Amino acid sequence: MALLCFIMSYSQADSTKISAAPAPPAPAPVADTTVKPPPPVTITGSVDVYYRYNFNAPGGKTNNYTSFTNSQSSFELGMASIRADHSFGKVAATVDLGFGRRAEEFSYNDGGHPSLFAVKQLYLSWQASSKIKFTMGKWGTHIGYEVLDAYANRNYSMDYMFSFGPFFHTGLKADITLSGTTALMVGVANPTDFSTTTSGTKVALAQLSTGTKNGKWKFFLNYQGYYGGSADTIIAPGYVLFKNLSQFDLVINGTISGKFGVGFNGTVQSVNSSLLNKSANWWGSAVYLNFDPTSTFGLTLRGEYFSDKDGVKINPNDFATDASQTPGLNVIDLTLSAICKVGSNLMIIPELRLDNGSKNFFSKSDGTPTKGTFGAVLAAIYHF
């Protein structure tokens, strides 16, 4: 009996060993060969229209010397804009088209190439690393506070600093992240506001940006400059490439509270000109006071001082106001705009504007020259 029990127990133990033998290895997983579709294209756009009336403009004149609102007692089409953005991996492309007088004034040097009139921006980007991105093509300038697209501004009419440029650059730039809040941009481009040119002169570009960690204050120090040669060159009708040019520009954006904000823009441009036979400069500064009591209503007061004592950009005699005046003047622009939001896409902006110069720059209703003028704008802007 003892022998039988021993044999049976041994047999059971041996059977357990056999059944517990390791299973054969599982087959290797099959690689997923499904081709993933690229990310979709992002489409955005905007439309703006306006009516402008100047209260003392004589017949045939507008009393307007800033961009995009050169009309009198007329309903006008601003610009229809459509933009497509696409990225795949480290590469991205942007096509931004605009149609209307606003777009044509923006690309004013492309008159000999009608197909370029509609191209506001067109560029390719490559994210070379987590800190460096290269961009080549045409893009809106980094200089200044105001921009081309009406929906991105709180005043509909433009200030003098924006109107006297630059508008855009066509070239190559590198955006370099220095820290969490600080970045550097350096680039090289065609002469300012040229999509295409035969000029060998190239413009150096730079921007240093920084801000507070909470994002409430942002600072941008901007630059453009070039050396054009031993004499001025006319490279397009009405466009002079000076012997050399440099422009420094400062932009500040600040949030004081949920209802109050402030903006500042200061710029100075210096040129050495053989046509003017001297070194000259113009400069300007503007303050923007923003008040948003509700999510659907806001106010912006812009106060700008523009000084061009050397007549680089403004010559009263060019506008046939008073032939006895010497070139150059100073002008103040005071603009109050109300931003009325209808839903999340539509803005209606009624606006009052006062301009006053140091010389007879404008005209009275009877045609006689005067230093100041007053006007109003009603604009509607839709963005999607």
Side-chain angles (χ1 to χ4, degrees):
M1 292 291 292
L3 179 62
L4 180 61
C5 289
F6 173 78
I7 294 173
M8 290 179 65
S9 64
Y10 181 84
S11 174
Q12 290 177 355
D14 189 60
S15 173
T16 302
K17 289 179 180 179
I18 294 174
S19 63
V30 178
D32 184 5
T33 58
T34 305
V35 177
K36 296 181 180 180
V41 177
T42 302
I43 303 294
T44 56
S46 63
V47 173
D48 65 276
V49 294
Y50 75 94
Y51 175 86
R52 177 181 180 271
Y53 185 82
N54 184 269
F55 291 98
N56 58 335
K61 291 189 176 182
T62 62
N63 269 347
N64 176 78
Y65 303 108
T66 57
S67 298
F68 310 146
T69 52
N70 192 33
S71 62
Q72 166 63 1
S73 189
S74 174
F75 292 98
E76 295 287 330
L77 307 179
M79 180 174 67
S81 179
I82 189 74
R83 171 172 172 157
D85 293 278
H86 187 265
S87 61
F88 194 70
K90 296 183 178 182
V91 181
T94 293
V95 179
D96 189 3
L97 305 178
F99 305 90
R101 288 182 60 183
R102 195 179 185 99
E104 291 179 359
E105 289 184 36
F106 181 73
S107 298
Y108 64 98
N109 280 324
D110 293 330
H113 307 273
S115 61
L116 295 178
F117 257 145
V119 180
K120 293 160 49 187
Q121 299 186 106
L122 190 157
Y123 54 83
L124 300 174
S125 298
W126 172 46
Q127 191 74 47
S129 72
S130 60
K131 295 185 179 294
I132 301 177
K133 181 177 73 172
F134 294 98
T135 300
M136 187 173 183
K138 173 182 177 179
W139 62 87
T141 185
H142 56 295
I143 292 177
Y145 184 90
E146 300 178 5
V147 297
L148 166 66
D149 292 304
Y151 74 86
N153 298 320
R154 291 180 63 100
N155 300 108
Y156 186 78
S157 66
M158 311 303 290
D159 67 7
Y160 289 90
M161 287 184 289
F162 175 91
S163 301
F164 293 125
F167 285 173
F168 65 85
H169 307 284
T170 305
L172 173 67
K173 65 176 180 176
D175 292 286
I176 305 167
T177 301
L178 301 179
S179 70
T181 58
T182 305
L184 174 68
M185 182 276 288
V186 292
V188 60
N190 291 342
T192 299
D193 299 341
F194 277 89
S195 299
T196 178
T197 181
T198 57
S199 172
T201 299
K202 294 296 178 278
V203 180
L205 309 173
Q207 179 186 73
L208 179 64
S209 59
T210 189
T212 57
K213 291 184 178 180
N214 61 10
K216 291 187 175 182
W217 289 90
K218 298 179 181 179
F219 307 88
F220 305 86
L221 179 60
N222 308 307
Y223 171 79
Q224 72 160 347
Y226 66 80
Y227 174 75
S230 59
D232 296 353
T233 306
I234 299 177
I235 59 175
Y239 191 101
V240 177
L241 196 66
F242 296 111
K243 292 168 59 177
N244 55 65
L245 175 148
S246 64
Q247 181 174 359
F248 289 92
D249 180 88
L250 176 65
V251 174
I252 300 174
N253 276 312
T255 301
I256 299 174
S257 70
K259 295 183 178 181
F260 292 94
V262 62
F264 172 80
N265 183 205
T267 196
V268 56
Q269 185 181 106
S270 300
V271 302
N272 189 351
S273 170
S274 58
L275 292 176
L276 295 174
N277 196 30
K278 63 180 179 179
S279 296
N281 67 76
W282 61 268
W283 65 274
S285 61
V287 174
Y288 302 79
L289 302 178
N290 306 318
F291 174 51
D292 295 299
T294 72
S295 60
T296 59
F297 179 77
L299 294 169
T300 290
L301 177 64
R302 176 181 64 200
E304 178 193 20
Y305 182 82
F306 184 85
S307 176
D308 185 17
K309 62 181 179 60
D310 296 319
V312 178
K313 293 293 185 179
I314 300 178
N315 183 351
N317 298 336
D318 291 341
F319 306 103
T321 55
D322 186 348
S324 65
Q325 297 180 120
T326 57
L329 73 116
N330 307 320
V331 62
I332 294 173
D333 144 39
L334 192 64
T335 304
L336 178 63
S337 304
I339 300 96
C340 308
K341 297 180 180 180
V342 182
S344 58
N345 301 93
L346 177 63
M347 285 195 305
I348 299 174
I349 302 181
E351 181 174 287
L352 296 174
R353 174 168 177 154
L354 173 68
D355 294 74
N356 192 70
S358 59
K359 297 178 181 178
N360 291 331
F361 188 39
F362 303 98
S363 300
K364 297 180 180 179
S365 55
D366 60 3
T368 57
T370 183
K371 292 182 178 180
T373 191
F374 182 67
V377 169
L378 177 64
I381 306 164
Y382 185 85
H383 176 240
F384 60 92

